[in-house]
Amino acid sequence: MARQARAIQTRKSILLAAAEVFDERGYSTATITEIIARAGVTKGALYFHFTSKEDLALGVIAAQLELGPLPPQRTKLQELVDQGLLFAHQLQYDPLTRASVGLAMDQWSESAEGGNPFHGRPFQSWADRLTELLVEARERGELLPHVDPAETAELLSGSFTGIQWTSQVLCQRKDLTRRVIAMFRHLLPSVAMPQLLPTLELTSDRAVSLLASREAALDEEGAPGDEEYDDAAERDAASAPEGEGSAA
């Protein structure tokens, strides 16, 4: 188990290093060599887990999309608000989230065969989550009669995308939470039943408290199961000559 834990930690270290490099330099100028140096691993260890730079980028996106559920709330609309506040917080402080969004918006793909394989994945994933929450909210009677969940989710996702990009350009997303709260305050009255609006918590520190609650719940239940790794195979890959492995 200790060996498996080391293999899992190695993979996480590589993903975090890749996310930081992609976030800082963009996909097209990021190099495997720089990611290896940032992660503090060998080329063999990296190629045991990821076959190419593109595979690494897909791994970053997948890791960001699997950060886990938030604590359930009394209303589905509060859970929807929580998703937006947490996403804003992660864009400010979590390199995996920043890199994932950056990869989706990266224009390097215009010269790449087949187009950008990352295009739209984080945004579509968030829109899908919002649609699910809005469908449940409608079933619970939380929405105004005219509201179409998928249409509203697309509007919220598009609005968030524009807001986060504006915040990034103007101040490196330092005011993103404030902008997202303003978005919800303007849009929710056209979506939610009026009696629910005063119950929705829209505060700048809510994301931090949500993360603390989630961490506490994970500590009680135990972390989700990670995939099995062949530790011997990883050690063999890590000790392979530096010239071996895929090029990127």
Side-chain angles (χ1 to χ4, degrees):
M1 291 299 294
R3 291 178 176 177
Q4 180 180 331
R6 284 197 299 272
I8 292 169
Q9 185 56 50
T10 297
R11 187 176 189 276
K12 290 180 178 178
S13 297
I14 293 169
L15 281 174
L16 181 59
E20 291 173 348
V21 174
F22 289 147
D23 181 44
E24 294 168 8
R25 299 176 59 80
Y27 179 86
S28 59
T29 57
T31 66
I32 289 290
T33 299
E34 187 174 5
I35 292 169
I36 287 171
R38 184 78 61 97
V41 300
T42 66
K43 182 182 290 187
L46 184 143
Y47 282 119
F48 172 81
H49 293 283
F50 303 98
T51 60
S52 64
K53 187 168 75 169
E54 180 178 319
D55 192 30
L56 258 174
L58 291 171
V60 167
I61 291 175
Q64 186 269 316
L65 296 177
E66 295 169 2
L67 287 176
L70 290 174
Q73 302 297 322
R74 189 172 64 85
T75 65
K76 288 299 172 180
L77 282 178
Q78 182 64 65
E79 293 181 19
L80 179 142
V81 167
D82 290 348
Q83 288 281 348
L85 293 176
L86 181 61
F87 198 10
H89 180 83
Q90 289 174 322
L91 278 169
Q92 291 173 294
Y93 300 106
D94 176 46
L96 282 170
T97 303
R98 289 197 303 271
S100 180
V101 170
L103 287 165
M105 301 179 73
D106 202 329
Q107 296 304 305
W108 70 271
S109 60
E110 292 181 0
S111 60
E113 183 178 354
N116 186 342
F118 325 119
H119 182 65
R121 293 192 186 191
F123 303 116
Q124 187 58 54
S125 175
W126 194 49
D128 291 343
R129 291 183 191 180
L130 296 184
T131 299
E132 292 176 7
L133 286 171
L134 286 164
V135 167
E136 293 183 62
R138 181 179 62 185
E139 293 171 352
R140 293 185 177 200
E142 298 178 15
L143 304 183
L144 294 169
H146 70 274
V147 174
D148 178 274
E151 183 180 71
T152 302
E154 289 178 359
L155 175 64
L156 287 168
S157 181
S159 299
F160 187 100
T161 299
I163 286 170
Q164 70 87 15
W165 182 249
T166 300
S167 181
Q168 164 67 10
V169 170
L170 294 179
C171 60
Q172 297 296 304
R173 298 195 180 103
K174 292 178 182 178
D175 66 353
L176 181 55
T177 297
R178 176 186 65 78
R179 290 175 182 269
V180 170
I181 289 173
M183 176 192 75
F184 278 126
R185 285 178 175 162
H186 280 79
L187 295 182
L188 285 174
S190 67
V191 173
M193 295 295 287
Q195 62 270 27
L196 290 182
L197 292 173
T199 72
L200 299 176
E201 185 176 343
L202 282 160
T203 58
S204 59
D205 60 349
R206 181 163 176 81
V208 175
S209 64
L210 287 168
L211 287 172
S213 298
R214 183 167 69 183
E215 289 301 317
L218 289 175
D219 287 342
E220 291 180 2
E221 298 174 6
D226 287 292
E227 61 186 287
E228 294 284 337
Y229 291 115
D230 184 341
D231 187 69
E234 185 190 21
R235 284 184 283 109
D236 290 343
S239 61
E242 286 296 303
E244 296 183 8
S246 305

